[in-house]
Amino acid sequence: MPYIPFTDEQKVLANSVNLEEFLRMRGEKLERAGVEHKLIYYDSSGKHDSITIRGSKWFDHKNQTGGGAIKFMQEFYGMDFQTAVQELLGQRVTPLSHSPPKAIAKEEKKEFRLPQANTNMHRVYAYLIKQRFIAPEVITHFAKQHTLYEDKEHHNAVFVGLKEDGEPKQAHKRSTNSVGGTFHITCGGSDTRYSFAHFGENERLYVFEAPIDMLIFLTLYPKDWQKHSYIAMNGVYENAVLTALKNHINLSEVILCVDNDEGGIEAVDRLRDILNENGYSNVKRLAPPYKDWYEVLKAKNGVYALPAVPNQHKEEYHRQSKNLQYLKCRPDKLTSQIYAAFKNEQYKYLAEYALALYH
């Protein structure tokens, strides 16, 4: 394809296309999930809904990646940059319905198998106690339940999600190597409706981003912890949480214990909306006073802890929304006014135009 010199304005417009509307018009299936939508697709391994979309932004909870509209077209339809921009600007139309994204086409049906267990858990115990400050008795509890063990091949910590009858359905591996980058991955063939968890008898369910966050929390608050219920999402994906609530009728109160950073703060609103839509209105937020629960435990052990990271976009939104006014506008001039406000980055005016349209 010959090189097309797009202007900066064209690139911005392409990247800000509403993906929900764009994909619906192209024949893709989406389902509402709170303030977001899930892209629904099928392959040989069944139904998938790990990709959430909100306006021009998307996030793949399974692979922990996301971005804007242009990157979506590149990642999931295998388009080069120029083709993606042309598609989003309506300069060309390629049938997308029934043309599965690149990531889907690569995915093959996998049978779920737990990684082979090592003969001991020496490295897992050493890592979780020495590097993460987790209480040995907490580790031992889950080891005895066979939901935490050490794999034979790489000595990773393996966190297992069980079905109601005790059958393993999901496994998440976390590297115990303290040198180099962090490695963590959900094992192939895992059923995302299940995750590493503990279920007690009372009504409260504590929700965490990762299994280690959950173990750290139990170390920080050990009193009568087995009476409550806890579950790790392996990200900020709600699938396992909804399944747990459905299958344990005693659970009626949800405590969101996600990180106190930009991603965690965004996740609170999204998860609360999804839970409310599914009939769970008693949803609360328990934020760590530092960036996450590990940082809290570090501080307790005399190690420098990273502070919480405010969500500047959300804070600015709340600040600006208090000052919004009803901005009168002429319908015949609205398109040009919106374009001018967008071009000049007058985002407050855009919000006021939206308020005017609502009225």
Side-chain angles (χ1 to χ4, degrees):
M1 175 183 292
Y3 174 74
I4 302 173
F6 295 110
T7 65
D8 290 341
E9 187 175 82
Q10 287 176 311
K11 294 175 187 177
V12 170
L13 287 172
N15 209 36
S16 60
V17 165
N18 187 302
L19 280 173
E20 178 213 337
E21 296 176 1
F22 179 85
L23 292 173
R24 284 192 190 281
M25 288 191 296
R26 307 301 287 274
E28 301 296 354
K29 181 179 179 182
L30 294 102
E31 292 181 357
R32 178 173 287 280
V35 295
E36 299 178 325
H37 287 80
K38 295 179 181 178
L39 174 64
I40 307 300
Y41 62 87
Y42 297 83
D43 63 10
S44 58
S45 63
K47 178 181 176 180
H48 299 273
D49 61 356
S50 65
I51 301 168
T52 54
I53 294 169
R54 185 175 184 178
S56 63
K57 302 296 183 182
W58 62 276
F59 190 77
D60 183 350
H61 297 270
K62 181 177 180 180
N63 297 306
Q64 294 293 292
T65 184
I70 294 174
K71 185 178 178 182
F72 182 90
M73 303 300 284
Q74 291 176 297
E75 289 286 326
F76 294 100
Y77 292 106
M79 296 180 180
D80 58 35
F81 179 83
Q82 295 195 80
T83 302
V85 173
Q86 283 185 299
E87 290 281 346
L88 293 164
L89 293 178
Q91 295 178 0
R92 60 179 293 169
V93 178
T94 302
L96 300 182
S97 184
H98 310 300
S99 175
K102 179 175 59 175
I104 302 169
K106 286 183 178 180
E107 187 172 350
E108 298 178 358
K109 186 175 181 179
K110 295 181 180 179
E111 179 183 355
F112 173 68
R113 291 184 180 179
L114 287 174
Q116 186 177 359
N118 195 28
T119 54
N120 61 64
M121 290 181 59
H122 293 168
R123 295 196 190 183
V124 167
Y125 266 93
Y127 170 75
L128 294 179
I129 295 171
K130 294 180 181 179
Q131 298 293 325
R132 294 289 182 161
F133 307 112
I134 295 171
E137 58 271 21
V138 172
I139 303 169
T140 299
H141 171 85
F142 290 98
K144 288 182 177 180
Q145 301 294 319
H146 305 292
T147 55
L148 171 58
Y149 67 92
E150 181 176 314
D151 81 352
K152 182 177 181 179
E153 185 176 5
H154 299 293
H155 303 282
N156 296 310
V158 181
F159 301 90
V160 182
L162 302 177
K163 199 175 177 181
E164 293 73 41
D165 59 5
E167 178 188 0
K169 299 294 290 183
Q170 184 261 12
H172 188 80
K173 294 191 291 186
R174 173 63 164 81
S175 172
T176 58
N177 187 357
S178 59
V179 179
T182 299
F183 168 82
H184 55 91
I185 189 171
T186 299
C187 296
S190 289
D191 188 336
T192 58
R193 293 176 299 171
Y194 303 94
S195 187
F196 181 69
H198 167 82
F199 296 105
E201 297 179 355
N202 72 12
E203 74 286 351
R204 189 173 295 170
L205 175 65
Y206 292 88
V207 178
F208 300 88
E209 292 188 28
I212 287 182
D213 295 335
M214 178 177 147
L215 298 184
I216 289 171
F217 186 85
L218 300 182
T219 300
L220 288 165
Y221 304 100
K223 184 178 179 181
D224 298 328
W225 72 264
Q226 294 186 39
K227 294 181 180 180
H228 306 298
S229 296
Y230 310 81
I231 193 166
M233 296 181 289
N234 298 318
V236 288
Y237 189 40
E238 74 283 351
N239 223 4
V241 178
L242 292 175
T243 301
L245 291 167
K246 179 181 178 181
N247 292 333
H248 297 82
I249 59 174
N250 60 300
L251 297 175
S252 60
E253 180 182 356
V254 180
I255 313 294
L256 301 175
C257 304
V258 295
D259 295 350
N260 196 0
D261 58 13
E262 289 192 8
I265 294 168
E266 286 283 348
V268 168
D269 289 341
R270 188 180 77 84
L271 292 169
R272 182 180 283 116
D273 287 341
I274 292 171
L275 289 164
N276 287 342
E277 286 187 354
N278 282 272
Y280 302 100
S281 58
N282 191 3
V283 181
K284 299 174 183 177
R285 162 75 159 136
L286 181 59
Y290 294 90
K291 180 180 177 295
D292 54 40
W293 297 107
Y294 176 46
E295 299 301 325
V296 178
L297 195 51
K298 283 168 60 178
K300 187 176 180 180
N301 283 272
V303 179
Y304 172 75
L306 297 175
V309 181
N311 189 312
Q312 296 180 352
H313 294 290
K314 191 170 290 292
E315 290 184 357
E316 180 65 15
Y317 163 78
H318 287 300
R319 188 179 72 83
Q320 292 286 358
S321 63
K322 292 179 181 179
N323 300 316
L324 288 180
Q325 301 179 37
Y326 178 81
L327 185 65
K328 294 183 179 180
C329 54
R330 291 174 53 185
D332 59 326
K333 298 288 186 180
L334 187 58
T335 301
S336 59
Q337 289 174 326
I338 290 175
Y339 180 77
F342 180 80
K343 182 178 180 180
N344 297 321
E345 298 184 354
Q346 296 170 311
Y347 300 119
K348 180 182 176 182
Y349 287 161
L350 289 175
E352 291 176 344
Y353 285 136
L355 185 63
L357 288 171
Y358 176 77
H359 285 278

